[in-house]
Amino acid sequence: MSATGFASTGDMAEKKVSFDEVGPGLFAFTAEGDPNSGVIVGDDAVMIVDAQATPMMAQGVIERVRTVTDKPIKYVLLSHYHAVRVLGASAYKDAEILASEVTRDLIVERGKQDMDSEIGRFPRLFRAVESIPGLTWPSITFAQQMSVWLGKREVRIMHLGRAHTAGDVVAWVPDAQVVFSGDLVEYRSACYCGDAHFGDWPATLDRLAALNAKALVPGRGAALAKPDKAVEGIAMTRDFLSTLYGSVAGSVKKGLSLKQTFQAARIVMDPKFSDFAIYEHCLPFNVSRAYDEAKGIDHPVIWTAERDRAMWAALQE
């Protein structure tokens, strides 16, 4: 890893895609730590959870959907606003785009900066980037909760609290007791915490755990198709966050610099999590946001391509 190049710029290996049924008519599109999408098949329509990063990449999801149903894709749910999750939405022709009101506010505030930042950080995840027509805007928003009916099948979309971002939502399918968590939960993949709320995330995980899901589709990593695996995924995410923030908050209390805090965090994080997907990519951004929050900055500072490069260079030199 060079002092100037993001860890992700060297991550060019193609990932193996899996398409697993996690409940009746419920599928997880996963790719070895790359962003996941969920598929919910109802009586008369389909909902996609998270759109992928580009229209071309979204076509990979659509192709898998067509192996299990010819029902129309009527809804695309944005679990949150990050570019790698949402910019492929235009591939789902005529679908309603659903998101929380907070997520829409975040798109207004930082959507363009986030788009430019993420494309610069992780080029492999934005294949055919030129096909992106622009920012993805929701056509339907809600405050805390809404239900979408796919015929007789309810999809209950819930904002359980701030966590990975301020606007995260989950999709709960009550008839199957399956939840699509977005990036509230990762499985053997680093949590990206650059826009996180560390103080709120554990309680949000508590509310997610209280659903007692029979299966859980995380934002990254393998589908968790059994209750014990869902519990494991939530616990693993909690451990990642508490280890990270505990270290950073302790460093801030000692008056350490950001670079010293980063070095201290590595000492406790590397032995436990260095084999997780995108760990090296995420850690500088994670420590930077945790450092800000520990210093009392509640609202995450907007990441720009320029801020990305300056932070990375400062911590890697």
Side-chain angles (χ1 to χ4, degrees):
M1 178 170 54
S2 72
T4 56
F6 301 119
S8 50
T9 59
D11 179 0
M12 300 304 291
E14 290 300 312
K15 307 299 183 183
K16 178 184 176 183
V17 171
S18 299
F19 192 65
D20 300 309
E21 190 166 16
V22 295
L26 303 171
F27 301 88
F29 179 98
T30 66
E32 300 182 316
D34 278 359
N36 295 340
S37 289
V39 177
I40 303 171
V41 181
D43 300 315
D44 59 0
V46 176
M47 178 184 291
I48 303 295
V49 181
D50 289 326
Q52 294 287 313
T54 67
M56 188 195 82
M57 297 176 76
Q59 285 297 333
V61 177
I62 294 169
E63 288 168 7
R64 297 295 178 125
V65 171
R66 291 299 166 235
T67 67
V68 296
T69 183
D70 60 0
K71 294 171 185 174
I73 298 171
K74 287 190 176 180
Y75 302 96
V76 174
L77 172 64
L78 311 181
S79 67
H80 60 286
Y81 76 89
H82 285 140
V84 77
R85 297 284 174 191
V86 308
L87 294 180
S90 63
Y92 304 94
K93 305 298 184 185
D94 302 320
E96 296 282 5
I97 309 297
L98 314 176
S100 68
E101 290 175 0
V102 173
T103 288
R104 191 186 190 285
D105 291 343
L106 289 169
I107 297 169
V108 172
E109 178 192 51
R110 61 183 68 200
K112 182 61 167 68
Q113 296 96 318
D114 177 74
M115 176 179 175
D116 294 342
S117 170
E118 290 197 55
I119 290 170
R121 291 182 194 177
F122 219 137
R124 182 178 58 77
L125 293 181
F126 290 88
R127 291 193 295 277
V129 66
E130 68 281 355
S131 66
I132 298 169
L135 296 178
T136 295
W137 293 97
S139 54
I140 297 173
T141 61
F142 56 94
Q144 293 294 324
Q145 180 172 310
M146 72 176 293
S147 288
V148 175
W149 293 88
L150 307 177
K152 296 178 182 178
R153 166 162 271 183
E154 180 189 10
V155 182
R156 194 175 303 159
I157 305 166
M158 299 179 288
H159 173 63
L160 299 177
R162 302 191 305 181
H164 173 71
T165 74
D168 299 321
V169 298
V170 304
W172 170 244
V173 185
D175 67 68
Q177 293 182 267
V178 172
V179 68
F180 297 81
S181 73
D183 285 328
L184 288 184
V185 175
E186 315 289 20
Y187 187 70
R188 300 203 64 79
S189 178
C191 299
Y192 172 70
C193 308
D195 298 300
H197 295 270
F198 288 95
D200 293 6
W201 201 331
T204 302
L205 288 176
D206 290 342
R207 298 181 193 104
L208 178 64
L211 294 173
N212 294 313
K214 291 183 177 178
L216 183 153
V217 178
R220 293 176 183 265
L224 306 173
K226 295 181 179 180
D228 61 328
K229 296 298 289 185
V231 169
E232 180 190 359
I234 293 171
M236 188 177 290
T237 300
R238 190 188 303 275
D239 185 34
F240 185 97
L241 297 167
S242 63
T243 303
L244 172 65
Y245 192 68
S247 171
V248 172
S251 293
V252 168
K253 193 173 183 179
K254 295 174 185 175
L256 299 185
S257 68
L258 177 60
K259 186 169 183 179
Q260 291 169 325
T261 298
F262 179 66
Q263 293 165 339
R266 292 207 78 117
I267 293 171
V268 295
M269 293 291 288
D270 286 5
K272 297 174 73 172
F273 305 112
S274 62
D275 63 337
F276 280 22
I278 67 169
Y279 173 77
E280 289 292 346
H281 167 66
C282 290
L283 190 62
F285 299 98
N286 292 354
V287 171
S288 295
R289 170 55 194 152
Y291 190 81
D292 282 353
E293 184 166 326
K295 282 180 166 288
I297 299 173
D298 179 68
H299 192 64
V301 179
I302 296 174
W303 289 100
T304 65
E306 294 74 22
R307 183 185 175 215
D308 288 357
R309 289 192 295 269
M311 178 278 297
W312 189 272
L315 294 186
Q316 302 298 331
E317 63 187 13

